[in-house]
Amino acid sequence: RRARIVGRTRIRAVVGLLFLAACTAPRTDRPGGDAPDGEPTSPASSPPTSSPPTSSPPEPAAAAEIRPVSRRQWNRMKRVGVWRAGCPLARTDLRRVEVNHYTFDGTVERGALVVNRDVAPAIAEIFTELFDKKFPIRKMRPVEAYGGDVNASLRDDNTSAYNCRRPDQINAPPQFSPHANGRAIDINPRENPWMDLRCQCWVPTPETRARVPGPGVIVKGGLVWRLFRERGWIWQNIKVPDYMHFDTGYPSRPYTPS
């Protein structure tokens, strides 16, 4: 009887040792599964692979878009006098050209120009090429951002287009004016000033009146001059120096690309 008891004891000890080994052995059947007590585990590691070659970020693009002028923008234009009764165009005659541009510090910003719908494709093409050549533009905002004040826009070195100017700033009858018909544009005014005979002064500054090539400067035969001339636009279509200004002709007439 004592032998049977010893035998049973040994059997129990062996079974206990086997059970303990089974409980403490590492699990290999569920990689990435839940750990004991619900603690999170990291996913199962994959075999090491070679890292993909690093690639440079894509070059920025001009991404020009031609959009209708929204009712909201049109209401702002009317509120500040960019458009008023007696101006030659309606909202449906205008388009908003949105395009990226380089600034003078080399960053890229999104700008917008309001123009006549018949010149919108040409403007989108020109400013796309200016972007591709990294020609710097300080700012590009519709004039209502300045309360319709063209002089404030010029002082801020803002590139702009459509503006049926308020009576105290008008310099041509609205029905003939290239700006009031959305077929004129002023580019980088501080780098490219004009001579205002009403004050016999350079606006917005006399400091850059000399035509010395440089960032943002327009010169005859230069990039900006060529792009506009290729499409039939005229530089300085006035009897005084107006280096910022391009238009399709005076008096303003419907535009046909050349």
Side-chain angles (χ1 to χ4, degrees):
R1 182 174 179 182
R2 182 179 299 171
R4 287 199 301 269
I5 293 172
V6 171
R8 289 173 184 170
T9 301
R10 287 177 179 173
I11 291 170
R12 288 172 184 158
V14 171
V15 171
L17 289 172
L18 291 174
F19 180 78
L20 179 63
C23 290
T24 58
R27 298 293 300 269
T28 60
D29 57 333
R30 291 193 305 164
D34 291 338
D37 301 324
E39 295 175 3
T41 62
S42 59
S45 60
S46 301
T49 58
S50 58
S51 300
T54 58
S55 58
S56 301
E59 284 289 321
E65 296 181 281
I66 300 172
R67 304 174 180 274
V69 172
S70 67
R71 291 188 181 277
R72 182 179 179 182
Q73 182 176 3
W74 183 246
N75 289 336
R76 289 199 305 269
M77 293 165 67
K78 292 193 295 183
R79 188 163 57 247
V80 300
V82 172
W83 185 95
R84 62 186 184 282
C87 292
L89 301 182
R91 179 175 69 92
T92 53
D93 297 315
L94 295 171
R95 293 293 182 269
R96 177 184 172 96
V97 178
E98 297 181 3
V99 63
N100 292 334
H101 65 90
Y102 280 94
T103 65
F104 281 79
D105 61 8
T107 60
V108 174
E109 292 187 0
R110 191 76 171 162
L113 296 164
V114 176
V115 297
N116 194 302
R117 64 183 180 183
D118 61 11
V119 303
I123 290 297
E125 290 174 3
I126 290 169
F127 279 86
T128 293
E129 293 198 47
L130 291 178
F131 180 88
D132 291 343
K133 298 295 185 182
K134 298 188 177 181
F135 179 84
I137 296 171
R138 186 86 58 192
K139 297 176 181 178
M140 192 188 300
R141 301 171 179 168
V143 181
E144 61 268 21
Y146 298 88
D149 185 341
V150 65
N151 291 327
S153 175
L154 299 181
R155 287 192 299 269
D156 201 35
D157 209 12
N158 181 55
T159 294
S160 66
Y162 175 78
N163 189 7
C164 187
R165 294 171 176 169
R166 62 195 199 191
D168 64 326
Q169 295 184 338
I170 196 170
N171 58 7
Q175 64 268 30
F176 301 138
S177 166
H179 276 292
N181 282 275
R183 301 188 184 103
I185 186 164
D186 295 331
I187 301 173
N188 288 343
R190 295 195 68 85
E191 288 70 33
N192 305 289
W194 80 292
M195 169 55 71
D196 188 344
L197 293 180
R198 293 169 294 189
C199 63
Q200 293 292 320
C201 61
W202 288 93
V203 177
T205 176
E207 297 174 359
T208 53
R209 64 186 183 275
R211 290 298 81 198
V212 178
V217 176
I218 299 170
V219 295
K220 185 175 181 179
L223 173 65
V224 183
W225 184 89
R226 293 197 310 271
L227 292 177
F228 277 96
R229 292 280 293 179
E230 287 168 0
R231 293 164 176 80
W233 289 59
I234 305 166
W235 186 41
Q236 303 186 80
N237 191 20
I238 194 172
K239 294 181 179 179
V240 298
D242 192 358
Y243 302 127
M244 69 183 81
H245 181 91
F246 289 89
D247 67 44
T248 60
Y250 183 90
S252 187
R253 297 185 179 92
Y255 171 73
T256 302
S258 58

